[in-house]
Amino acid sequence: MSSHPDPFRDIDAQPDPLRIVEALETRGGARPQQRLRRRFLRFVPVAPGDAVLEVGCGTGVVVRDLAAMVGARGRVVGVDRSRATVKAARLLTREHPRRSRMTLQVAAGERLSFREGRFDVALAITVMLHVADPGVVVKEMIRVVRRGGRVGLQDQDFGTVVVPHPDRQLTARILDGVVAHVYAEPHSGRRLPGLLREAGLDDVRVLTDVYQDTKLEPYTKNFLERRAEHAVRFGIVDAPTAQRWLDGFTELVERGAFIFTVNYYGAVGVKP
Ligand SMILES: C[S@@+](CC[C@H](N)C(=O)[O-])C[C@H]1O[C@@H](n2cnc3c(N)ncnc32)[C@H](O)[C@@H]1O
């Protein structure tokens, strides 16, 4: 098994890659998540006829949206370093009406096999958070985009998670403690505009958006349960404390007082 605590660094090395495949599809199907990513894709913008690359395509959630946007003359290529997710993406796109316009490949964003200037747009959606050296991936994305083409990144930022849990200190200890263990840069979202500017792109624009849940939807529930599980694994709290923390959210839902928000930052730049 991969020694890195972030499972998205190496999905194939996890004990149960299918659990991650399912989690990606649950997240992708959640209404607020659909709205977030589609709003960002319009902001990029992605236009009919575009040739689009998505780096870190996972199970193809974004690829399927992109295929609908580029239409019959466009082209979408999704690459991911995980064999398990690319296999799932192929299955999940099999019946898609635009299947012939999509290509799915196992490849790392740090070393793309495409020639220079091949795409109109290159995107990475909730990927940079998981990459050891985001600058290297961005450089490759810029290389394969034509002059005047767009490079777009979108990431959540774990410094912006808001929940009204009655035990504020425990909440901060678990949320901040876990992300510090798992991610090299938990505040990845807010760093994306700087990343694109440093890489030499022009006209960098930013779209800030918010994921909001007031009902403890499956994606949010899974998110909080994973945080509790990791907090125990990393010795931040003991198991009864983690369970007490989770019970606090159930109580909030029962009282109609639950809310969970996290900011998503999107940044797009143009290749000079
Ligand atoms: C959180 S998922 C996002 C998947 C998809 N973009 C979505 O929004 O549903 C992150 C994906 O990035 C992939 N990934 C991580 N590092 C990568 C790299 N260096 N090159 C290519 N893919 C990578 C992971 O395998 C995983 O499938």
Side-chain angles (χ1 to χ4, degrees):
M1 196 181 110
S2 165
S3 57
H4 200 281
D6 178 3
F8 288 103
R9 282 271 178 112
D10 192 353
I11 293 174
D12 297 347
Q14 302 308 308
D16 187 2
L18 277 186
R19 181 167 117 167
I20 296 185
V21 163
E22 276 167 24
L24 282 175
E25 283 298 306
T26 301
R27 184 180 76 164
R31 276 290 176 82
Q33 291 285 343
Q34 288 177 1
R35 188 196 59 74
L36 272 172
R37 69 173 183 274
R38 290 175 185 166
R39 188 167 171 227
F40 178 63
L41 297 179
R42 288 193 299 273
F43 177 77
V44 171
V46 174
D50 275 348
V52 184
L53 170 70
E54 194 210 351
V55 172
C57 65
T59 56
V61 166
V62 184
V63 165
R64 282 170 265 156
D65 278 356
L66 288 169
M69 292 174 89
V70 300
R73 287 180 304 107
R75 175 113 227 128
V76 182
V77 178
V79 302
D80 199 288
R81 54 164 295 173
S82 153
R83 284 181 189 283
T85 63
V86 171
K87 187 175 168 195
R90 286 186 178 135
L91 277 172
L92 289 161
T93 51
R94 217 170 27 181
E95 310 287 325
H96 196 283
R98 295 252 185 268
R99 183 66 189 90
S100 64
R101 311 308 300 162
M102 302 175 191
T103 307
L104 296 156
Q105 280 182 16
V106 178
E110 289 84 351
R111 286 178 309 280
L112 298 170
S113 60
F114 311 107
R115 66 169 165 74
E116 208 170 316
R118 154 105 156 63
F119 296 97
D120 299 298
V121 180
L123 302 170
I125 313 275
T126 64
V127 173
M128 290 301 153
L129 172 70
H130 307 291
V131 168
D133 190 346
V136 176
V137 175
V138 168
K139 203 173 154 200
E140 266 298 80
M141 292 169 75
I142 295 173
R143 183 183 67 74
V144 301
V145 162
R146 65 167 168 79
R147 286 177 195 279
R150 281 93 68 210
V151 173
L153 311 173
Q154 189 185 40
D155 248 348
Q156 61 276 64
D157 187 302
F158 289 135
T160 67
V161 174
V162 170
V163 278
H165 196 285
D167 193 335
R168 223 190 276 191
Q169 276 187 341
L170 177 62
T171 300
R173 192 143 58 94
I174 291 178
L175 292 181
D176 297 342
V178 169
V179 294
H181 266 86
V182 177
Y183 305 105
E185 178 45 278
H187 296 175
S188 170
R190 72 190 73 175
R191 302 206 180 273
L192 298 181
L195 196 60
L196 293 185
R197 282 198 190 99
E198 277 159 30
L201 292 182
D202 286 343
D203 303 328
V204 174
R205 293 173 296 125
V206 180
L207 178 72
T208 306
D209 213 335
V210 185
Y211 170 80
Q212 173 191 299
D213 176 8
T214 54
K215 297 199 175 79
L216 195 57
E217 303 281 0
Y219 165 69
T220 315
K221 192 164 182 286
N222 186 48
F223 177 100
L224 294 170
E225 285 173 356
R226 292 289 86 74
R227 289 292 191 262
E229 188 185 303
H230 278 111
V232 175
R233 188 184 308 161
F234 300 138
I236 297 167
V237 294
D238 58 18
T241 308
Q243 190 54 53
R244 175 168 65 79
W245 184 65
L246 287 175
D247 293 343
F249 293 113
T250 318
E251 265 172 51
L252 285 171
V253 175
E254 281 161 10
R255 287 196 283 118
F258 180 78
I259 179 168
F260 173 101
T261 62
V262 56
N263 287 4
Y264 276 62
Y265 296 93
V268 186
V270 176
K271 180 169 171 175

